Amino acid sequence: MGDGNDSGKVLDIKTADIKSTAPIFHTQGKNLSTALTTLVTTLDGLGSPWGDDEQGKAFGDAYRPQQKAIEKAAGTLVLGLVSIHEAMADMSDGHVDNEELIAGMFTKIRSRDGEGHDEGAK
């Protein structure tokens, strides 16, 4: 998320990067969900297109159990992509809130006599 330069910083979070990247996970999760729905409905609609001969039966016997596992794994990926999107959005909001809190700790206020002191030192 940094610019590739080694600034010596341990953590360089740019909220703009997080905010711009988070929707990509949502979009890709939606795309995967659409592809999964298309796969499932198409295959279910075709029945057993591989045929009833010996090779077709052997293929069907090997394929059917794996079909459900593939569908389940793809469904898990969809949920994962959506949760990454949500987590990144939350992280971005939390990072902004944290920066504002820290900035507030170091803000100087003027006392009645005109001298500044740290507001966070109360």
Side-chain angles (χ1 to χ4, degrees):
M1 290 196 179
D3 57 7
N5 297 328
D6 185 12
S7 64
K9 292 182 181 178
V10 174
L11 186 59
D12 185 20
I13 298 173
K14 293 181 177 42
T15 55
D17 289 344
I18 296 170
K19 286 184 180 205
S20 68
T21 303
I24 294 169
F25 287 94
H26 176 73
T27 301
Q28 296 306 323
K30 213 164 120 180
N31 291 344
L32 182 58
S33 178
T34 300
L36 177 60
T37 300
T38 301
L39 175 70
V40 171
T41 57
T42 301
L43 289 179
D44 286 348
L46 292 174
S48 300
W50 40 83
D52 270 344
D53 62 358
E54 186 178 330
Q55 288 180 333
K57 286 180 182 180
F59 176 83
D61 290 345
Y63 174 75
R64 280 189 202 103
Q66 298 305 315
Q67 178 186 0
K68 296 301 175 195
I70 291 168
E71 291 169 5
K72 184 177 178 183
T76 301
L77 287 172
V78 168
L79 294 175
L81 289 170
V82 170
S83 70
I84 290 170
H85 166 250
E86 292 171 358
M88 288 182 79
D90 289 347
M91 182 173 63
S92 173
D93 292 343
H95 186 67
V96 169
D97 291 345
N98 190 47
E99 281 187 343
E100 289 172 358
L101 177 67
I102 291 170
M105 296 167 106
F106 295 101
T107 302
K108 293 203 176 225
I109 60 170
R110 294 274 169 207
S111 63
R112 289 187 192 150
D113 62 7
E115 300 216 7
H117 65 279
D118 287 338
E119 184 177 342
K122 289 182 179 180

